[in-house]
Amino acid sequence: MTAAVSPADAPRAAAASGGVAGAGVAHDVVVPSIGRPSLLALLRSLAGQDGSPPAEVVVVDDRREPDPGLEADLVRALGEDPGAPPWRLRVVRSRGRGPAGARNLGWRVTSSPWVAFLDDDVLLPAGWSRGLAADLAGADEDLGGSQGRLDVPLPAGRRPTDWERGTKGLETAAWATADMAYRRRALEDVAGFDERFPRAYREDADLALRVRRAGWRLERGRRTTTHPVRPADALVSLRVQAGNRDDATMRALHGPRWREVADVPRGRLRWHAATCAAALLGLGALLAGRPRAAAVGTLAWTALTADFARRRIAPGPRTGAEVRAMLLTSAAIPPAAVRHRVVGERAARRGLPAWPPPVRAVLFDRDDTLVHDVPYNGDPARVEPVAGAREVVAALRDAGVATGVVSNQSGVARGLLSPPQVEAVNARADELVGPLGTWQWCPHGPEDGCRCRKPGPGLVERAAAALGVPVGACAVVGDIGADVEAARAAGARGVLVPTARTLRREVEDAPLVADDLASAVRLLVPGALA
């Protein structure tokens, strides 16, 4: 469901024509969220901007159990503020796919040429929208991304804690998606964020590296975004050591010099490994009855741990709570970091899954894709396959790729067709071009606001579930923009096979365009067709 917090048709129409209402470059904003209270503060700071609004703001609720009332709550809260935001707000649900998957879903359901990614815990100072417009205005065709400058305010009147200093490091981080705008074509070129990065760690560096390797240029903009330090408990520094698994993934994907090419500074893993080695030496020698060697190992572990703790305590506020937390975590971090890295390296040696995943199911639109369109057809005798449709479906079946149909049938809602008539036409089409693995169709009209009608994701999600295939391993082939948009909304791939009724804009907006069904399948499943 899409809810308008203000009249939003004008911004959306402006985005379609390449400009945003008012001024600036057409862009959408995507915010992945796990429901933190800071989300509303961010949206309010965006609503308070003057000039160059986004066409649409998409909040991606990435909780495994999303809040069904989140969209209504946000719309209500924003509507209470003076001046309604000049953009459309909607909430989509990624159900725990992680930041990379949430951002992928977000940018795929939007349509503007640029997508600005924001974290849900940042705040936008006055002038941010004008700054974004200036950063994107007149951008050369090879500019694939623009990074905002982050400002992390630290508390006044005392020294910052270890966690606060760590957050401060975001100010110099390269290509952080706390505020990072990407050109849509650049995202499409590299299939978006790599969902093999499950945490909010390294997925931004990986994307930037792949975008640059694809021939795009990235640059720092002049706009500034405020990134407050979010509250954290005493063990937060221990939990973030899981990022060492993602470092192992980066090494596997980009080689041993990945830090250098991705502009990522070197961490302390070598020191942590040395600390663990000293501890193991001391323990092993003790068990072997070698007291001198045990003393050496224990002394080395103590010295390394004490030095690590000193480096973390000295610049901080040195309160009792902070000192206790630093002593505890300084002893626990080295083994945690090494363990996570070892787990990550083992996973990489076993072989990372492919990204994007290979297509395991191809879902076709029915009318003008598999069979010639007869408006509101309820007569099976009038079903005529598109040239080559049966051969394409057979080739996919022989290649072990599942097939299905996702079709809007609004004639039912209009009273022009009955469900049995739709089923009869589907059965005849299945007889002529199939058999296909599943037929999913929507009986609703455009005004019903259902989830299943394309460009909504419901039909694609239902087909994937029926075939037992993850949505991310599905592709949708259709003849109009709604087919491609449905694929984007669900997190699947989409290919447009234009016909005489396909709009020029739909062709321009489609990530993949093929001349016919066979060409579409060759794009998706190389080798399926000779």
Side-chain angles (χ1 to χ4, degrees):
M1 182 181 74
T2 301
V5 292
S6 68
D9 290 340
R12 171 54 70 194
S17 62
V20 175
V25 176
H27 67 283
D28 298 305
V29 170
V30 171
V31 183
S33 180
I34 53 174
R36 290 188 290 222
S38 55
L39 171 63
L40 180 57
L42 162 64
L43 295 177
R44 282 175 166 155
S45 70
L46 179 58
Q49 299 294 312
D50 55 340
S52 301
E56 185 173 32
V57 176
V58 175
V59 173
V60 187
D61 188 345
D62 195 42
R63 290 172 288 188
R64 294 189 182 277
E65 297 297 330
D67 177 3
L70 178 61
E71 184 174 282
D73 291 344
L74 292 174
V75 169
R76 187 181 308 111
L78 291 170
E80 294 171 354
D81 295 338
W87 31 260
R88 196 173 186 86
L89 171 70
R90 61 170 160 161
V91 174
V92 296
R93 298 168 181 86
S94 52
R95 298 185 181 275
R97 286 168 58 181
R103 292 190 184 101
N104 278 340
L105 176 59
W107 73 263
R108 284 171 178 151
V109 302
T110 62
S111 59
S112 293
W114 284 87
V115 183
F117 296 100
L118 297 172
D119 283 353
D120 70 351
D121 56 353
V122 303
L123 293 171
L124 307 179
W128 179 88
S129 285
R130 292 195 308 273
L132 175 64
D135 289 339
L136 303 184
D140 294 337
E141 284 300 312
D142 67 340
L143 181 65
S146 169
Q147 180 183 7
R149 299 176 184 270
L150 298 180
D151 172 46
V152 180
L154 296 179
R158 65 165 174 82
R159 294 178 174 182
T161 64
D162 179 72
W163 173 243
E164 290 165 345
R165 294 193 307 275
T167 305
K168 185 74 172 177
L170 289 173
E171 291 184 345
T172 56
W175 325 126
T177 41
D179 178 1
M180 186 75 195
Y182 276 101
R183 194 186 293 269
R184 180 176 301 279
R185 286 192 288 117
L187 292 170
E188 291 173 344
D189 277 354
V190 299
F193 290 85
D194 188 332
E195 296 182 29
R196 290 174 294 187
F197 291 89
R199 286 164 284 274
Y201 196 72
R202 300 302 187 217
E203 84 289 356
D204 47 8
D206 169 80
L207 175 63
L209 204 162
R210 289 185 292 115
V211 166
R212 289 194 295 183
R213 284 179 174 168
W216 297 94
R217 183 171 54 84
L218 304 180
E219 66 178 24
R220 282 183 180 267
R222 295 187 177 182
R223 67 189 184 279
T224 299
T225 300
T226 303
H227 193 306
V229 179
R230 67 174 182 264
D233 59 48
L235 298 181
V236 63
S237 59
L238 186 60
R239 290 195 299 275
V240 300
Q241 299 308 313
N244 283 281
R245 300 191 187 197
D246 305 303
D247 285 351
T249 302
M250 287 291 287
R251 180 182 176 88
L253 294 176
H254 304 295
R257 297 179 57 217
W258 69 268
R259 289 182 179 273
E260 178 181 339
V261 295
D263 301 325
V264 173
R266 184 170 295 281
R268 285 189 57 89
L269 184 64
R270 292 181 178 179
W271 288 102
H272 294 332
T275 303
C276 291
L280 291 174
L281 171 63
L283 180 60
L286 181 63
L287 294 176
R290 301 174 59 188
R292 290 187 179 181
V296 170
T298 302
L299 181 61
W301 174 84
T302 301
L304 289 168
T305 302
D307 180 69
F308 183 37
R310 178 188 62 79
R311 291 173 182 272
R312 301 173 70 206
I313 293 171
R318 305 181 191 178
T319 62
E322 175 76 357
V323 170
R324 287 192 295 273
M326 293 302 98
L327 291 174
L328 173 63
T329 56
S330 294
I333 283 175
V338 171
R339 180 177 64 84
H340 283 299
R341 183 56 179 265
V342 168
V343 170
E345 293 286 355
R346 286 177 176 172
R349 282 198 296 271
R350 287 195 299 267
L352 297 171
W355 180 260
V359 172
R360 293 171 51 192
V362 177
L363 310 175
F364 297 95
D365 175 51
R366 190 188 79 177
D367 300 318
D368 258 0
T369 301
L370 285 181
V371 300
H372 290 289
D373 183 33
V374 177
Y376 306 117
N377 182 27
D379 183 1
R382 301 182 69 187
V383 175
E384 181 183 352
V386 168
R390 185 172 185 84
E391 292 77 12
V392 162
V393 172
L396 288 171
R397 188 168 56 247
D398 291 344
V401 177
T403 57
V405 172
V406 287
S407 176
N408 288 346
Q409 294 298 323
S410 63
V412 175
R414 301 173 195 272
L416 303 173
L417 290 171
S418 68
Q421 285 178 308
V422 175
E423 295 287 1
V425 169
N426 288 348
R428 178 57 176 163
D430 191 71
E431 179 184 344
L432 292 174
V433 304
L436 293 110
T438 184
W439 284 77
Q440 302 291 336
W441 57 278
C442 170
H444 305 109
E447 67 284 350
D448 290 335
C450 68
R451 179 179 174 81
C452 53
R453 179 178 171 82
K454 295 178 292 184
L459 290 179
V460 179
E461 292 172 343
R462 278 162 36 185
L467 295 171
V469 174
V471 174
C474 293
V476 178
V477 178
D479 64 306
I480 62 173
D483 300 314
V484 175
E485 290 302 314
R488 281 176 172 163
R493 275 159 277 190
V495 181
L496 188 73
V497 180
T499 65
R501 70 182 181 125
T502 309
L503 301 178
R504 178 179 177 182
R505 174 176 168 252
E506 293 175 329
V507 177
E508 294 173 345
D509 287 347
L512 292 172
V513 179
D515 293 334
D516 50 34
L517 280 180
S519 299
V521 168
R522 289 189 184 98
L523 285 173
L524 296 169
V525 189
L529 289 169

